[in-house]
Structure formats: structure tokens, C-alpha cells
Amino acid sequence: MEKEELFKYVRSMITSSTHRPKYMSISTVKVADLLGVSITEVENGLNELIADGRLTTTKLDQPDKEVYMLQ
């Protein structure tokens, strides 16, 4: 999966989720299903975007929940 395509999709999800977009919990399973790729590809792409400084993330108290934020 191309990193730029994933970033556009994630950015669109975040900006359409709230009136003043800042962050969103993203389901890698749902994104993988919608894009027709494996969960591993989505997780690796998100990790690359975090490493590039285009996204940041924090973990929620709930297990397996992460919040992604635009930079």
C-alpha cells in the first residue's frame, strides 16, 4: 500500500470526524477492509507516517485503542 494514499485516507477520516479536526481513533481492521489490503500493511503504513512526523499517536485506556492526530 502506498504511504501517500493511506495518509490521504486517514487525513480525510480525521477531518470529517469532527467540526474542528484534531484526532480520531482509527480501526486498522476497518481501514484494511475498506482499502482491500492486509492489516499488517495498514499498521506498517501508519507507523511510517508516525516516523515521518505526519501523524502522532497516543494509546487510550481501552486495550487495542490508539488515537491518531494530524501534525
Side-chain angles (χ1 to χ4, degrees):
M1 152 159 270
E2 189 176 319
K3 185 171 47 173
E4 197 60 37
E5 179 185 345
L6 179 61
F7 179 70
K8 287 179 184 179
Y9 187 76
V10 169
R11 182 181 61 202
S12 174
M13 288 175 66
I14 293 172
T15 56
S16 67
S17 68
T18 61
H19 177 63
R20 291 185 175 197
K22 294 180 183 178
Y23 55 87
M24 179 181 183
S25 176
I26 296 173
S27 167
T28 54
V29 174
K30 187 181 286 188
V31 172
D33 186 47
L34 290 171
L35 297 177
V37 297
S38 72
I39 298 167
T40 307
E41 287 182 72
V42 173
E43 290 172 347
N44 290 340
L46 289 172
N47 288 333
E48 288 179 25
L49 291 170
I50 291 167
D52 291 348
R54 297 173 81 182
L55 292 175
T56 58
T57 185
T58 59
K59 290 215 179 252
L60 294 178
D61 294 335
Q62 300 170 339
D64 299 327
K65 295 287 183 178
E66 290 189 57
V67 174
Y68 293 89
M69 296 166 273
L70 295 173
Q71 285 297 330

